[in-house]
Amino acid sequence: MTQTIAPRVRILVLLLLAVTGALLAGAAPASAHAALTGSDPGQGAVVDTAPTQVSLTFSEQIAVSDDAVRVLDPKGKRVDKGTPANPGGTTYTVRLLSGLPDGTYTVAYQVVSADSHPVAGAFTFSIGAPSETSVSASAQASDDGLVGRLYGIGRYVSYAGFVVLAGGAAFVLACWERGAGVRAVQRLVVSGWLTLTAATLALLLLRGSYTTSGAVGDVFDLSLLGDVLQTKTGAALVSRLLLLAAAALFIAVLFGAYDKREAEEKRDLTFGLAIGGTVVAAGLAASWAMSEHASQGLQPGVAMPVDVLHLLAVAAWLGGLTTLLVALYRAPADTPVDQDAVQRFSRLAFGSVVALAVTGVYQSWRQLGSWSALTDTRYGQLLLAKIGLVVVMVAVASISRRWTARLAEAPAPAVLEEEKEKQPAGAGKATEAGKGESGAGKGGDTRAAQLARQQAAMENARQKRLRDADPNRFGLRRSVLAEAGIAVVLLAVTTVLTQTEPGRTEQEAAAAASASSSPSASTGQGTGAVTLNMPFDTGGENGRGVVTIDLDPARVGDNDMHVHVEGPDGQAFDIPEVKVAFTLSAKDIGPLPVVPDHITTGHWSASGVQIPMTGDWKVEVTVRTSDIDQVTVSKNAKIG
């Protein structure tokens, strides 16, 4: 039987590598989780006069560096100045040089989304009229190259290590206490710890290059590593390493002293290990939840603990299944995994599947947002594949449950008695004969020890052969092996899913792109949230700056409005008064005045701003910088 194990293990490893390579190779292009939902000037817009700045609005918060947004003239020369600023919300602006000539300009951006993934893109707008440009309006993200692929593999390996570490330990504590003394199980759990630790260190080194240049040479750049440590993702990776140190102590206690304790001591130790292990496992799971999908979007306060529970359920199910597989194949003959342990794991796996179903439904609603996203987006398609794999795996698990029931009910196999009858009459006396020779001196003692070891090896092999001949146990091993093969694919799909842009975000980006290509976008405006930037100069001291109006959702009915005022240096500053008015000249409506409330330095807002009907509205902003210095600036916007 041991000869048949190796080919199966090789097949399982090859399946793991093939699926990982195929899925991760196609994951990079879709790994941007923040989408550009608006800009001013708009994509492809033609504006009459040169703007003083370019604003970009994303679907979520992003991290920007000094060169995160670049604006290039038709010859490829940069015309932006200063560091990108965040006037409020998810809108980011970059100042432009004054006196820009007519022509087509390219805006290229490379930022990091709030859920840790690099985002890159480019678009063009024109001043006066379109012109030829030497700049390509495309952008290659830093995760498209070798570093991106290595980072994706590192993520998969880290998930696999966590599943084996947490699930293997849970299997020993909850299902098979005797497994704490089985070397094969010990090696499996320790390998999970080593794998997760090595993958976390690799991700920490790769992170700086992954989010910036994508160059292999930057992997060991200490300055980039220092920048990474100041980010949310860097803090999560460092926290994971600290928790792994605690996990090492947990493993040492579990496998070093646990199996040697008396029954009463073991019960107390089991309780302590269960509590401590759960805390450490939840902390490790939180290192993903607090830095990725769950930390952004709708209801992050609910989504993060739900994501932790989801990851723990995955580990208990898949990690426990892996440990069961190892126990069925590699446990010694004198410590076989018994049917009670398999039944306990069956109950644990059922509870894990229930938890996965509940948390998965919530996560799917949160990330998809609509039924159409389930089939029309890459995230939805991968989610359907994951659901299909879970269904198949549960079906195979039901077969394993039947084999477990048969194993519990069936008597000892007949082959056991046959093997006993085949034993030579004097086989059990080999040790005695060896002892009889012991009187011959040291040589006799050595010979007796050799015979004892041979006898023990023969007995162990016989028991293992008898155990493997049990058709119920053989059927259980085959079904669990099939479950493990599906689990490998399931884990790979799950890893790619965490790197894929959520369906809700993808549809928002598609809607923004559609709006930008509509006729109204040719004048720099569109539907959805509207951002208007208007330079002003009241003529007095400190009377110059830019006022920005954010109107959301820019539709008929209630709207939220934010007003931001910045000086020529891009810094927010307060002015004595700011007022806004909306006028729809085509229908002789307005002006409709709005007086926003002051929120913080350079920021005013108003809620419930009523827009009675759709149309091209003129938005007028009156800015007063002193008792006598005042000016009104305006801009048109398509609302509705």
Side-chain angles (χ1 to χ4, degrees):
M1 179 60 69
T2 55
Q3 293 178 346
T4 64
I5 295 173
R8 287 172 181 162
V9 173
R10 285 197 294 270
I11 291 172
L12 198 59
V13 171
L14 289 174
L15 178 62
L16 168 65
L17 295 176
V19 172
T20 301
L23 289 173
L24 294 181
S31 61
H33 292 186
L36 184 68
T37 57
S39 64
D40 186 17
Q43 300 184 36
V46 179
V47 296
D48 295 332
T49 59
T52 60
Q53 65 179 16
V54 170
S55 67
L56 305 177
T57 302
F58 293 89
S59 59
E60 64 181 47
Q61 291 282 342
I62 59 171
V64 295
S65 61
D66 291 346
D67 292 329
V69 181
R70 297 176 298 125
V71 183
L72 309 174
D73 67 10
K75 295 181 180 179
K77 181 180 178 182
R78 292 187 64 166
V79 296
D80 58 279
K81 62 178 181 179
T83 303
N86 176 216
T90 59
T91 298
Y92 298 80
T93 63
V94 62
R95 307 284 297 175
L96 300 180
L97 299 175
S98 59
L100 294 180
D102 291 353
T104 296
Y105 292 77
T106 302
V107 180
Y109 57 91
Q110 181 169 317
V111 298
V112 180
S113 66
D115 61 357
S116 80
H117 297 273
V119 182
F123 65 91
T124 62
F125 71 92
S126 300
I127 301 174
S131 68
E132 292 185 0
T133 177
S134 61
V135 182
S136 174
S138 62
Q140 181 178 5
S142 58
D143 61 341
D144 284 346
L146 175 61
V147 170
R149 289 191 290 272
L150 290 175
Y151 195 87
I153 293 172
R155 287 170 57 83
Y156 177 88
V157 172
S158 65
Y159 276 122
F162 171 72
V163 164
V164 171
L165 169 62
F171 182 85
V172 171
L173 283 173
C175 305
W176 191 38
E177 292 182 359
R178 295 182 66 193
V182 175
R183 294 295 298 274
V185 173
Q186 294 174 0
R187 286 194 292 267
L188 177 69
V189 176
V190 171
S191 68
W193 183 90
L194 291 172
T195 299
L196 179 55
T197 302
T200 302
L201 288 170
L203 292 174
L204 199 57
L205 289 174
L206 291 167
R207 181 71 189 173
S209 176
Y210 174 71
T211 57
T212 54
S213 65
V216 177
D218 289 340
V219 171
F220 298 101
D221 188 332
L222 295 181
S223 63
L224 285 178
L225 179 60
D227 293 338
V228 168
L229 294 177
Q230 299 178 40
T231 65
K232 181 172 64 174
T233 303
L237 292 172
V238 171
S239 300
R240 192 180 302 168
L241 289 174
L242 295 175
L243 287 165
L244 283 168
L249 178 61
F250 170 87
I251 293 172
V253 174
L254 178 63
F255 295 138
Y258 180 74
D259 194 47
K260 301 179 179 63
R261 302 278 179 169
E262 297 295 333
E264 187 173 347
E265 286 184 293
K266 187 175 288 188
R267 283 195 297 271
D268 294 338
L269 187 57
T270 299
F271 179 77
L273 286 174
I275 297 298
T278 300
V279 171
V280 172
L284 290 170
S287 68
W288 278 285
M290 294 184 353
S291 62
E292 297 190 353
H293 277 307
S295 63
Q296 295 299 317
L298 299 174
Q299 303 175 346
V302 176
M304 285 190 287
V306 167
D307 197 49
V308 169
L309 180 59
H310 190 84
L311 286 171
L312 292 177
V314 169
W317 184 23
L318 302 189
L321 183 68
T322 304
T323 311
L324 175 60
L325 181 66
V326 169
L328 286 170
Y329 276 103
R330 302 299 300 275
D334 59 349
T335 317
V337 59
D338 54 81
Q339 61 264 27
D340 289 339
V342 178
Q343 288 174 335
R344 282 192 288 268
F345 173 68
S346 181
R347 291 191 290 269
L348 176 64
F350 178 78
S352 298
V353 171
V354 172
L356 285 172
V358 174
T359 56
V361 167
Y362 172 77
Q363 289 177 328
S364 300
W365 166 79
R366 186 173 175 272
Q367 300 294 353
L368 290 174
S370 67
W371 286 108
S372 61
L374 196 60
T375 55
D376 296 345
T377 65
R378 176 176 168 80
Y379 186 93
Q381 293 161 1
L382 283 170
L383 183 60
L384 287 175
K386 179 181 176 181
I387 293 172
L389 287 169
V390 170
V391 170
V392 173
M393 196 169 172
V394 170
V396 177
S398 67
I399 298 175
S400 298
R401 288 172 65 90
R402 287 200 293 269
W403 282 118
T404 302
R406 294 177 185 176
L407 187 65
E409 296 171 358
V415 70
L416 178 61
E417 300 301 327
E418 294 176 4
E419 286 286 336
K420 285 183 177 179
E421 293 175 2
K422 291 178 183 178
Q423 288 293 314
K429 300 179 182 179
T431 305
E432 298 296 333
K435 288 181 179 178
E437 297 175 1
S438 62
K442 184 177 291 187
D445 292 340
T446 303
R447 176 60 178 164
Q450 290 176 343
L451 289 173
R453 287 195 297 270
Q454 291 174 1
Q455 180 66 17
M458 291 173 60
E459 178 64 17
N460 186 69
R462 185 183 69 84
Q463 292 183 13
K464 194 173 191 318
R465 185 167 61 254
L466 293 175
R467 185 188 67 189
D468 293 342
D470 185 347
N472 295 318
R473 183 175 290 272
F474 180 76
L476 177 62
R477 290 168 61 171
R478 293 289 294 270
S479 63
V480 171
L481 182 64
E483 284 187 74
I486 300 169
V488 169
V489 184
L490 178 62
L491 190 60
V493 172
T494 300
T495 305
V496 177
L497 199 62
T498 63
Q499 294 179 255
T500 303
E501 186 176 22
R504 185 189 298 270
T505 305
E506 185 177 336
Q507 289 193 325
E508 288 177 359
S514 175
S516 66
S517 62
S518 66
S520 61
S522 63
T523 59
Q525 299 155 19
T527 59
V530 166
T531 299
L532 304 174
N533 298 299
M534 291 172 268
F536 66 84
D537 185 354
T538 62
E541 185 179 359
N542 298 323
R544 297 179 58 199
V546 176
V547 59
T548 301
I549 303 292
D550 291 321
L551 192 67
D552 188 15
R555 295 175 184 166
V556 173
D558 287 346
N559 291 264
D560 291 328
M561 184 182 71
H562 293 270
V563 182
H564 301 274
V565 176
E566 295 179 347
D569 57 357
Q571 298 299 314
F573 74 100
D574 279 338
I575 56 177
E577 185 180 27
V578 59
K579 296 186 295 186
V580 183
F582 295 85
T583 303
L584 183 60
S585 301
K587 299 294 183 179
D588 198 22
I589 298 176
L592 306 177
V594 178
V595 180
D597 297 322
H598 185 256
I599 304 300
T600 186
T601 302
H603 182 197
W604 293 257
S605 78
S607 59
V609 176
Q610 288 291 322
I611 303 297
M613 62 191 314
T614 62
D616 290 313
W617 287 79
K618 181 170 74 172
V619 182
E620 296 177 298
V621 183
T622 300
V623 177
R624 182 167 63 83
T625 57
S626 71
D627 291 339
I628 59 174
D629 299 314
Q630 176 177 302
V631 69
T632 298
V633 293
S634 65
K635 208 166 191 179
N636 290 337
K638 179 73 174 181
I639 298 178

